[in-house]
Amino acid sequence: MESASALDAPVGATVPTVVSERLARKFSRNLKERAIEALLFLAAFVSVFTTAGIVYILVKESLVFFSHVPLWQFLTDTQWTPLFADAHYGISVLLSGTITSSAVALLVAIPLGTTIAIYLSEFASPRAREIAKPVLELLSGVPTIVYGYFALLFVTPLLQKLIPSLPGFNLLSAGIVMGIMIVPYVASISEDAMRAVPMALREGSFAMGATRLQTALKVVVPAAVSGIAAAYILGVSRAVGETMILAVAAGMQPNLTFNPLEPAATITAYIVQVALGDLPHGSVGYQTIFAAGLALLLLTLFFNLVGFWMRRRYREAY
Amino acid sequence: MLGSARPGAAGLTPDASPPPPLKAESRDLSFHYGNGFKALNAITMPVHEHRVTALIGPSGCGKSTFLRCFNRMHDLYPGNRYEGAIVLHPDNTNLLADDVDPIEVRMRVSMVFQKPNPFPKSIYENVAYGLRVRGVTNKNHLDDKVEESLRGAALWDEVKQRLNEVGSNLSGGQQQRLCIARALATDPEILLFDEPTSALDPIATASIEELISELKKRVTILIVTHNMQQAARVSDYTAYMYLGELIEFDRTDTIFFKPGRKETEDYITGRFG
C-alpha cells in the first residue's frame, strides 16, 4: 500500500506520510526503550532501597535504645544482662565471643585456604583444578545450620576426647567449623589474586633456576599479597557475621571471655535469641538487638571496605 | 640510526681471526608445541664462545621459540616436545636430554625477557634472587655478588643509595638492566636475550646495546631481535630464520653485506618481512 501511494500521488504528498510513519515508529521505539530503562532502574533501586531501609531502621531504633542507655555504658560495661531485673548493657561481652570465635575460624581458614590457593594456582594440573574448584565451592553451598549441627554433634564430641573438660557448647568447635566454612572464600579469592600475577613474573623466576615452590612462595605470593590480604579480610567479615553455627554450637550465654574452651554468646547469636523470644516490642530489652545489630553492621562494613580497597589495589598493580 | 655513532658493527672485529671455540650447538633441533604445531624444523647451528649471536627473522619465524629451548623454558607448559639436541660445551651435555634437570640447565643458561619483569622485591633482593634459590645465605657473599652484578649491568651508580627500594620503582631501562644484573648474579655460561629492548625508548636501548657488547667478554650471548640495525650493531654472528627453519647462519657482516641466500637478502634489504 505504501509503495502504491508513492507511485500514484505526487511526490510532495507522499513524503509527509512516510516521515510521520517513521516518526511514529521511532516514537514507539523510544517509549519501549524508556519503559525498559525504568524497569531496570527500579530493579536496581530495590536493592539500594533495601540497604538504605535497613540502615534507617537500625539507626532509628538504636537511637531509642541509646536514649535509655548511655553510649559510654554500652561500650564500657563488662556485663550483658538486658533481660534481668538488674540490667547491664556491655557490648564488649558479646564482642568478646565474636572476636574469639572469629579468631579460631581464621586460625583454621587462613593456613588451609592459602595452601589450597597456592596448590590450585601454581601446582594443580588444569584437570585437577577443574575438579577441585567446584568441590571446594560446594562447601560454601552447605547451609550453615548443617555446619552448626556438624559442630555440635560431631566436632565437639571429637574434641572432648582430646580435652575431656570441654563443655558441650564451646567457641572452639564452632570456630573450627566456621573456619572450614570460610575456607572456600579465602581460597577462591586468594587464588584469583595469584592467577592475576603475570606469567612473565613466574617465567622470570623459573629462568633463574627456581623450583615451583620457590616461585610460588618467593614471587607469586608476594606479588599477590594485597589480594590475599583482601581474601583474609573478607573471611573475617564472613566470620563476624556468621550466626547459625554459633547459635547452635557455642551456647547462648553472654560470657566475657577470650578462652575458646568456654561457651559464649556472640552478637549474632544474641540477636537470634532475642528475636525468637517473647520480649514485648518497644521494651529496652527488645531495643538492644538494634544496637547490637548496628554494632555488627559497622564491624562488617569496616572489614568489607578494607577488603574492597585492598582488592582494588592489587588489580591496579598490573 | 642510533648505531650510526658506532658504525664499526661489532661483527666486523673478529674478521680475519679463526672462529672462536664453540660454547654450544644445536643439532637437528625440532620443536613441537602442545597443540601439535611444529615451530622449529631440524635446526643445526653453532654458538661461539664469548660472542654475540643474533637471531633475526619475521614474526612467527620461531626465533623466540628457538631461544627458549636453550633454557628449557618450554618445559613449563605441558605437551611441548623437543627433538634433536642442544649440546653445551666443554662438557658435551645435551641440555634437552630427559635425564637433565631443567633447573640445572637454567642455572647455567640465564635469560632476560622482552618486557622488564623485576620481582615485587627490593632491588637488592631482585639481584640476590638466583643466589637465594640456590641456598646462598652468606651476607657478605651476597653483598659482593649484588654489587658486582649491578656494576656489570651498569646500574650500580644509579641505585647504590637505594638498594632497599622496590625494583618496580625504577624506569623501564633501569628495570631491564636490573633484570640483566639478576641474570648475571649467578655467573651463567650463556645469557639469552629475548628482544630485550622492544619495550624501551631509544636512549635506554642504546645503553642496553652498549652493555651487551661489554658483557660478551664474560659470557656467551644469544639475542633475539626484531630490529635488524640492532643485530648489525651488537652481534658477531647472525642467524636468519623463516617459518621454523634456519635459512642462513654466518658472521654478521657476511649476512648483512653479502648474504649467501636470496631469502636472507630480501629480508635484510626490507623487500620482505
Side-chain angles (χ1 to χ4, degrees):
Chain A
M1 172 222 124
E2 198 184 314
S3 56
S5 69
L7 282 173
D8 297 339
V11 179
T14 49
V15 172
T17 4
V18 174
V19 167
S20 68
E21 226 171 81
R22 278 196 193 145
L23 278 177
R25 237 182 293 152
K26 199 178 160 196
F27 177 73
S28 81
R29 193 176 59 210
N30 279 352
L31 207 68
K32 248 189 272 170
E33 288 281 317
R34 290 232 183 97
I36 289 168
E37 202 183 312
L39 208 71
L40 294 176
F41 174 78
L42 224 68
F45 182 72
V46 167
S47 68
V48 175
F49 176 78
T50 312
T51 312
I54 290 171
V55 174
Y56 171 74
I57 294 288
L58 278 180
V59 170
K60 187 180 142 228
E61 299 290 335
S62 298
L63 284 179
V64 177
F65 171 78
F66 286 119
S67 66
H68 292 280
V69 181
L71 183 63
W72 65 266
Q73 198 191 326
F74 182 71
L75 294 176
T76 56
D77 204 323
T78 54
Q79 285 182 64
W80 181 263
T81 54
L83 313 180
F84 295 178
D86 173 31
H88 286 276
Y89 308 93
I91 191 72
S92 58
V93 179
L94 298 180
L95 212 53
S96 76
T98 295
I99 289 169
T100 310
S101 59
S102 300
V104 173
L106 289 177
L107 281 178
V108 173
I110 286 179
L112 210 57
T114 314
T115 311
I116 291 172
I118 290 175
Y119 168 72
L120 285 179
S121 155
E122 304 302 312
F123 289 88
S125 66
R127 222 185 109 69
R129 192 185 301 128
E130 264 167 44
I131 297 169
K133 253 209 134 172
V135 170
L136 193 66
E137 270 150 23
L138 213 63
L139 263 185
S140 59
V142 176
T144 55
I145 185 80
V146 175
Y147 277 121
Y149 273 98
F150 177 68
L152 181 68
L153 301 176
F154 180 77
V155 178
T156 300
L158 209 64
L159 288 172
Q160 278 169 332
K161 283 186 187 145
L162 291 171
I163 315 162
S165 63
L166 193 72
F169 293 112
N170 61 78
L171 290 168
L172 181 64
S173 149
I176 289 172
V177 172
M178 202 154 76
I180 294 169
M181 183 196 78
I182 306 167
V183 162
Y185 294 92
V186 175
S188 173
I189 299 170
S190 304
E191 195 225 342
D192 286 347
M194 287 185 215
R195 297 246 271 163
V197 173
M199 206 52 213
L201 230 47
R202 284 188 195 92
E203 287 194 345
S205 169
F206 285 121
M208 292 308 302
T211 61
R212 273 200 197 195
L213 188 66
Q214 286 169 333
T215 301
L217 297 181
K218 288 172 180 248
V219 172
V220 179
V221 169
V225 72
S226 57
I228 296 171
Y232 296 167
I233 303 255
L234 294 179
V236 174
S237 139
R238 290 278 312 180
V240 166
E242 175 48 35
T243 307
M244 266 310 159
I245 298 174
L246 292 152
V248 170
M252 292 205 194
Q253 64 233 71
N255 182 1
L256 180 57
T257 179
F258 291 100
N259 180 359
L261 301 178
E262 287 178 28
T266 60
I267 301 178
T268 50
Y270 172 77
I271 294 173
V272 171
Q273 189 187 14
V274 173
L276 292 179
D278 42 14
L279 276 167
H281 285 217
S283 67
V284 178
Y286 188 77
Q287 296 302 121
T288 55
I289 66 171
F290 294 104
L294 187 66
L296 191 65
L297 183 77
L298 290 175
L299 209 60
T300 50
L301 184 72
F302 169 75
F303 285 123
N304 275 322
L305 283 179
V306 173
F308 177 76
W309 174 75
M310 292 187 114
R311 273 183 98 169
R312 226 186 36 190
R313 248 195 66 191
Y314 91 78
R315 289 249 163 85
E316 282 166 1
Y318 312 118
Chain B
M1 12 81 230
L2 268 158
S4 56
R6 296 176 282 120
L12 291 174
T13 24
D15 207 7
S17 54
L22 286 183
K23 180 63 211 171
E25 57 192 312
S26 99
R27 292 180 187 156
D28 271 327
L29 173 69
S30 295
F31 178 77
H32 304 256
Y33 276 109
N35 58 15
F37 175 63
K38 188 175 186 184
L40 298 176
N41 190 15
I43 292 185
T44 299
M45 190 192 95
V47 178
H48 293 286
E49 192 161 31
H50 294 298
R51 294 290 180 271
V52 178
T53 304
L55 305 173
I56 61 170
S59 297
C61 72
K63 54 194 190 301
S64 282
T65 304
F66 183 41
L67 187 81
R68 289 160 70 95
C69 289
F70 279 84
N71 68 343
R72 301 263 303 253
M73 223 44 190
H74 298 297
D75 287 35
L76 298 180
Y77 305 94
N80 294 341
R81 195 158 52 81
Y82 311 92
E83 271 169 43
I86 292 178
V87 178
L88 199 62
H89 296 299
D91 50 331
N92 268 320
T93 312
N94 174 13
L95 297 182
L96 303 180
D98 286 334
D99 59 344
V100 171
D101 184 355
I103 289 177
E104 295 292 327
V105 173
R106 293 175 198 141
M107 297 210 168
R108 300 180 64 179
V109 182
S110 224
M111 185 167 190
V112 175
F113 294 81
Q114 186 169 358
K115 243 182 96 189
N117 57 351
F119 301 136
K121 297 174 179 295
S122 68
I123 291 169
Y124 182 96
E125 285 302 326
N126 260 285
V127 181
Y129 187 80
L131 297 166
R132 289 227 193 261
V133 300
R134 284 160 177 73
V136 177
T137 49
N138 183 321
K139 182 89 173 80
N140 289 332
H141 180 55
L142 284 174
D143 286 351
D144 291 347
K145 268 297 179 191
V146 167
E147 178 172 347
E148 182 198 318
S149 310
L150 284 169
R151 282 188 193 282
L155 191 60
W156 175 253
D157 290 332
E158 288 158 69
V159 300
K160 63 183 174 196
Q161 301 298 339
R162 44 180 183 146
L163 290 174
N164 292 320
E165 270 180 41
V166 177
S168 49
N169 283 349
L170 299 172
S171 73
Q174 288 175 323
Q175 285 188 21
Q176 196 61 303
R177 276 180 283 151
L178 178 62
C179 293
I180 293 173
R182 184 172 79 190
L184 285 175
T186 54
D187 293 318
E189 297 162 47
I190 299 182
L191 198 48
L192 309 172
F193 286 89
D194 190 358
E195 297 186 33
T197 61
S198 63
L200 303 180
D201 63 65
I203 293 172
T205 299
S207 78
I208 300 279
E209 286 180 4
E210 209 169 310
L211 186 55
I212 289 172
S213 302
E214 189 62 32
L215 284 174
K216 71 176 177 185
K217 288 174 195 158
R218 43 189 288 204
V219 60
T220 304
I221 292 173
L222 264 170
I223 176 170
V224 164
T225 177
H226 247 73
N227 179 331
M228 276 179 285
Q229 287 86 347
Q230 182 167 69
R233 284 193 297 264
V234 303
S235 72
D236 304 294
Y237 292 89
T238 296
Y240 171 61
M241 292 176 69
Y242 181 60
L243 293 179
E245 311 258 356
L246 178 65
I247 305 293
E248 188 169 356
F249 173 84
D250 214 320
R251 291 207 163 148
T252 297
D253 46 343
T254 311
I255 290 280
F256 277 87
F257 295 121
K258 34 185 193 304
R261 298 275 301 255
K262 176 95 173 50
E263 300 98 306
T264 314
E265 190 182 347
D266 285 351
Y267 182 70
I268 301 286
T269 53
R271 238 170 290 167
F272 158 76

